[in-house]
Amino acid sequence: MAPGATTRARCHNRAPVASVSVPGDAFGVARASAGRHARPQRPGPGWWREPLGVLPGVGDATRRRAAAIGLHDIGELAEHLPSRYLAYDSARAIADLADGEEATIRVELDSIAVVPTRRRRLRIVRARVHDDTGAITVVWFNQAYLAEALQPGDQMMIRGQVALKPQRQVTARAHEVLGAGASAGVHTEGLVPVYPATEDLPARKLREMVDAARPYVPAAPELLPAWIRARVSLPTRADALMAMHFPRSAREPRSARRRLAFEELLVLQLGLIAVRRHEETARRAQALTPTGEITSKVREGLPFTLTGEQERVARQVARDLARPRPMRRLLQGEVGAGKTVVAALACAQAVEAGAQAAILVPTETLAEQHLRTLDQLLAPAGIAPVLITGNVPRAERERREMAVATGTAPVVVGTQALLVGGVRFHRLGLVVVDEQHRFGVEQRQALAEQAGDGADAAHLLYMTATPIPRTLALTAYGDLRVSAIRGRPPGRQEIATQWVHEDQRDHAYEQVRSELRAGRQAYVICPLVTEGDAGTDARSAVQEAARLVDGPFRDFRVGLAHGAQKPDERRAAMAAFAAGDTDLLVATTVVEVGIDVPNATVMLIEDADRFGLAQLHQLRGRVGRGEHPGTCLVFAEPASEDGVRRLEALVQTGDGFRLADIDLDIRGEGSIMGLRQSGPTDLRFARLSRDRHSLAQARRIAKVALERDPRLEHPEHVLLGAAVRQAFPDMPRLLDA
Ligand code: ADP
Ligand code: MG
């Protein structure tokens, strides 16, 4: 195969360097073959998957420790990239050292001993060393074993802090003995890589292992064909890996990382586009042809007119449903944007085409709320949705399941119990998934298999209130078409957010009380259920409720809702608040979704720095839902600058999409919005906040590549295709379409 051949040739052309004392020796091939692990002289592509044990200096213990962090073979080691570099410079002459600087010297050891000290805990090792220009003392603290390990006559490199007064001495920070196996300077000279390490397998050992693997790195298989490399001007994979591990300048790792990130994003985009293509070309769905019979009744019954945004999205969905190919659409819109109506219209279209629709939600509370809403929306058309959750008593549940199986229940709302409980549908045509980010790509596919009536898959509409930045949408949801309802429906009130500090607490309570006196209601949100949770001093709902009802809110009716209550108790508390029987609801994030009390106008959030930005935005969306504007009072004393930036953003913008972008900038995507999911969308090299441009490029190139070679079977694409299959192990037939 061509890429292997070039790397072999290049390796061969460079003269193997036998002497380990030459810094920066290109490929220590001779060294690799000199020890007990005799190897052929020329590394080839097959070497990439050789076990780590073939490397000199890697015994059984090291192999086990490496395996514990997922490093089994040369290729995996070569892809274990440094997280940063120590910027050391090249070795200097002792005579040239200046007082106070940090420097590397290259010396011979003359003598070494442990120096007695008065302090029992302190052990100092002192050595005399020299080079051609002079001699100096070197000291190590608390590494007494060095007095035994190092021998007079050892050739060494030492990095440390130089002092010329009161006596000439170097306090060692790093050192290495030359000729002991590793290349000279690996720990002490130039840009020294720092690898993600463990206690068992320190960065120093990893550095030596990578150094031993150096001859193999140029044999890294090349995934990207020449046409792609040329188009985005990227180095070869081998060059990129060499530059990451053995950089000659600070710029090298930057372009190398860009190459590895691009490749990772490309593989992901190829897979995601292939998933979508597979759905849209290879699988059949029931075409839900709109007759208008039911949808028109639902529309006429609406207590409001749809906004332009809702109309636009509803039309997109209606068109998708009418096709004989499964719809895979993600509908984004922040809390209260009006997604449910769009879902209701889609359900109505399914029913008028003679199919069933299922609405899947993550929690029981949300299921019940959706049932009420859909019941109202669909009533004008004479459709009564049924609820199926784990809470429904057994006999009743069986009755409902029967109605689903015979098709007399056209619309079903339920939790995941609906899918795992073995509920059979008569003719399932549409699945709506609310808050879909809890499902990964593979789970999405499994959902669709419920389709009946000869179709391969049901249409799927995912709805999420968590605004997803475009970059993230392209990765985590790259297999979906994305629609967004921006802005809020008419009539929805502004929410003024204020960041309040502890010394304004009394004033904040008075603000809340004045709303309550005017007949409105309020929420107090706490991060913890009860005191002592998570061993912090953050406020807890249980204690706050007790404190408030005895103190600042003694004249009001205070309710309490949190996740540790029995479901009935929690439901009762929420119902009492919804009915206006309590004025103030002290709660945890259980109210984040699934409670709609138009009379609630104020929310006070405690320890807001303990919530994510998206979560805070979602929470405050619970107020301002009626005729009066909302107020959100946020208590927080963030400990970090990022924490301050997030709160400032929350106060300044009410646009969830803007907030999501800001969140991505501040936090990186690793933990963004609790969206962490495992599977093919995990990124190792790429950072979405930094690689937006590469992502867009990868998306474009992936489309071109799949157009030219749909199965990625041309020789130049074969390795890329293999990488895609490996990234999507649960979809083995992904590229067969
Ligand atoms: P979400 O996007 O959070 O699911 P919903 O669909 O639940 O939002 O809508 C939130 C509220 O806004 C509901 O009470 C709904 O009746 C109302 N609503 C939806 N669309 C409109 C509209 N076009 N005009 C006025 N009110 C609307
Ligand atoms: Mg909703």
Side-chain angles (χ1 to χ4, degrees):
M1 164 187 42
T6 42
T7 46
R8 259 200 308 278
R10 201 178 36 213
C11 244
H12 189 51
N13 290 343
R14 299 226 186 155
V17 182
S19 162
V20 290
S21 66
V22 179
D25 60 337
F27 310 103
V29 174
R31 192 174 65 242
S33 59
R36 59 199 162 92
H37 310 278
R39 303 297 320 165
Q41 287 293 312
R42 276 172 286 158
W47 285 36
W48 200 240
R49 295 271 84 102
E50 289 269 18
L52 288 178
V54 304
L55 296 174
V58 177
D60 286 349
T62 304
R63 267 210 345 258
R64 270 196 308 278
R65 289 166 187 165
I69 55 170
L71 307 180
H72 306 89
D73 61 28
I74 305 265
E76 284 165 347
L77 179 65
E79 285 164 20
H80 189 65
L81 302 183
S83 50
R84 63 195 174 92
Y85 301 87
L86 302 169
Y88 295 168
D89 42 19
S90 36
R92 309 254 307 283
I94 289 177
D96 296 341
L97 296 179
D99 193 37
E101 72 174 336
E102 199 188 286
T104 300
I105 51 176
R106 186 184 186 98
V107 295
E108 182 175 327
L109 186 78
D110 297 321
S111 64
I112 186 163
V114 178
V115 188
T117 63
R118 298 245 173 92
R119 303 222 305 269
R120 214 183 317 141
R121 295 270 184 76
L122 182 65
R123 307 268 280 162
I124 297 178
V125 171
R126 182 178 291 153
R128 283 296 285 178
V129 302
H130 77 271
D131 66 8
D132 292 347
T133 69
I136 199 164
T137 298
V138 178
V139 299
W140 285 270
F141 291 101
N142 293 329
Q143 297 181 62
Y145 69 94
L146 289 176
E148 303 295 322
L150 301 177
Q151 305 291 327
D154 278 350
Q155 302 293 318
M156 299 185 65
M157 291 181 74
I158 295 165
R159 174 86 188 171
Q161 184 75 30
V162 177
L164 299 182
K165 295 168 284 194
Q167 64 256 58
R168 294 162 51 80
Q169 141 176 337
V170 173
T171 305
R173 169 174 170 184
H175 71 272
E176 61 194 71
V177 178
L178 304 181
S183 308
V186 275
H187 304 299
T188 55
E189 199 174 40
L191 291 165
V192 174
V194 179
Y195 294 97
T198 61
E199 207 166 305
D200 275 353
L201 192 65
R204 187 180 165 94
K205 182 67 194 172
L206 278 161
R207 209 178 281 143
E208 286 168 7
M209 289 165 68
V210 172
D211 179 64
R214 187 175 181 143
Y216 299 78
V217 179
E222 180 56 77
L223 257 56
L224 300 183
W227 71 267
I228 294 181
R229 284 213 315 276
R231 198 181 277 207
V232 283
S233 34
L234 292 170
T236 64
R237 183 162 225 274
D239 283 349
L241 290 172
M242 283 301 281
M244 288 305 292
H245 295 296
F246 315 108
R248 284 161 302 188
S249 74
R251 277 184 48 233
E252 280 194 356
R254 277 205 285 279
S255 67
R257 200 200 56 80
R258 192 173 76 85
R259 141 83 209 215
L260 296 170
F262 176 85
E263 170 188 306
E264 179 174 45
L265 292 169
L266 180 68
V267 168
L268 180 61
Q269 290 305 320
L270 286 167
L272 291 170
I273 293 170
V275 170
R276 189 161 98 186
R277 185 188 62 188
H278 183 65
E279 289 303 313
E280 292 180 345
T281 63
R283 308 232 289 168
R284 281 188 322 108
Q286 187 186 349
L288 304 175
T289 315
T291 65
E293 189 192 337
I294 290 178
T295 40
S296 63
K297 286 189 189 136
V298 173
R299 276 176 177 272
E300 279 157 23
L302 290 178
F304 44 73
T305 46
L306 295 185
T307 63
E309 291 278 283
Q310 283 171 318
E311 278 293 356
R312 185 175 53 77
V313 173
R315 271 200 306 272
Q316 279 175 342
V317 172
R319 262 198 313 273
D320 286 357
L321 294 178
R323 293 200 188 104
R325 300 293 175 199
M327 170 174 78
R328 293 289 176 270
R329 190 172 284 280
L330 172 66
L331 172 53
Q332 297 190 58
E334 32 180 308
V335 177
K339 299 181 294 295
T340 314
V341 190
V342 175
L345 287 170
C347 292
Q349 184 171 337
V351 177
E352 72 188 9
Q356 288 170 294
I359 293 121
L360 195 64
V361 297
T363 66
E364 308 244 336
T365 318
L366 207 51
E368 284 163 21
Q369 196 215 337
H370 267 299
L371 184 82
R372 279 194 299 277
T373 311
L374 285 164
D375 201 42
Q376 280 167 15
L377 292 171
L378 297 176
I383 299 171
V386 302
L387 181 73
I388 293 188
T389 69
N391 262 353
V392 178
R394 173 124 178 228
E396 175 60 18
R397 188 172 155 172
E398 277 168 9
R399 210 179 55 70
R400 292 182 191 175
E401 287 181 4
M402 187 59 79
V404 173
T406 56
T408 48
V411 177
V412 186
V413 180
T415 54
Q416 217 166 354
L418 198 56
L419 294 179
V420 297
V423 183
R424 297 256 51 95
F425 284 84
H426 177 61
R427 215 167 169 232
L428 182 63
L430 167 68
V431 178
V432 178
V433 185
D434 201 12
E435 294 305 320
Q436 73 92 208
H437 58 268
R438 286 155 222 249
F439 300 98
V441 178
E442 277 94 355
Q443 281 170 300
R444 280 176 217 157
Q445 292 309 109
L447 276 178
E449 308 301 330
Q450 284 274 316
D453 203 40
D456 300 314
H459 297 282
L460 283 177
L461 176 65
Y462 303 102
M463 304 197 297
T464 179
T466 308
I468 300 156
R470 186 177 153 66
T471 42
L472 203 61
L474 277 182
T475 48
Y477 308 103
D479 59 326
L480 308 178
R481 297 191 181 273
V482 179
S483 308
I485 301 180
R486 288 182 172 267
R488 325 184 91 208
R492 197 46 81 78
Q493 307 299 323
E494 286 296 311
I495 301 168
T497 302
Q498 296 166 24
W499 179 3
V500 277
H501 295 282
E502 209 41 54
D503 56 2
Q504 300 157 299
R505 185 170 282 278
D506 289 344
H507 181 252
Y509 284 149
E510 181 47 34
Q511 252 179 297
V512 177
R513 281 192 299 259
S514 80
E515 286 290 311
L516 299 188
R517 281 195 293 265
R520 309 244 216 272
Q521 290 163 282
Y523 299 94
V524 170
I525 307 295
C526 301
L528 304 180
V529 170
T530 183
E531 214 156 73
D533 281 4
T536 68
D537 55 1
R539 287 182 191 248
S540 70
V542 172
Q543 274 76 23
E544 274 302 283
R547 195 179 67 80
L548 295 178
V549 76
D550 281 342
F553 293 92
R554 71 174 73 82
D555 299 333
F556 299 93
R557 296 161 301 173
V558 178
L560 172 66
H562 57 74
Q565 285 168 324
K566 293 209 179 69
D568 283 346
E569 200 183 341
R570 183 171 62 242
R571 249 194 307 277
M574 294 220 207
F577 186 69
D581 295 340
T582 48
D583 305 301
L584 182 76
L585 184 63
V586 181
T588 57
T589 53
V590 291
V591 300
E592 188 182 336
V593 286
I595 187 161
D596 188 0
V597 181
N599 190 44
T601 51
V602 198
M603 175 174 282
L604 189 151
I605 305 178
E606 298 286 356
D607 302 301
D609 37 331
R610 300 176 131 258
F611 297 103
L613 195 47
Q615 199 174 23
L616 289 169
H617 181 63
Q618 183 112 311
L619 278 168
R620 72 177 165 183
R622 298 294 108 194
V623 296
R625 297 171 79 89
E627 52 180 321
H628 302 287
T631 304
C632 182
L633 303 169
V634 176
F635 279 99
E637 311 290 338
S640 70
E641 234 170 81
D642 283 351
V644 172
R645 279 176 64 201
R646 292 198 296 134
L647 282 162
E648 283 173 347
L650 184 76
V651 169
Q652 277 157 20
T653 174
D655 178 346
F657 288 89
R658 277 274 307 136
L659 281 178
D661 267 332
I662 294 170
D663 208 21
L664 183 63
D665 277 342
I666 298 176
R667 293 209 285 173
E669 69 284 1
S671 54
I672 187 160
M673 303 176 291
L675 236 163
R676 186 181 274 290
Q677 45 169 275
S678 54
T681 49
D682 270 356
L683 297 172
R684 294 174 62 207
F685 304 134
R687 294 283 169 273
L688 296 183
S689 41
R690 177 166 62 180
D691 296 315
R692 285 170 206 223
H693 179 67
S694 291
L695 175 63
Q697 233 174 7
R699 181 87 175 172
R700 274 197 305 277
I701 300 266
K703 284 183 182 157
V704 175
L706 285 171
E707 249 161 55
R708 289 190 190 174
D709 182 10
R711 295 159 182 255
L712 298 180
E713 61 196 353
H714 296 170
E716 59 174 354
H717 295 145
V718 161
L719 286 183
L720 206 47
V724 172
R725 286 193 186 86
Q726 205 186 342
F728 290 79
D730 295 340
M731 289 178 239
R733 299 173 50 76
L734 187 60
L735 291 169
D736 295 352

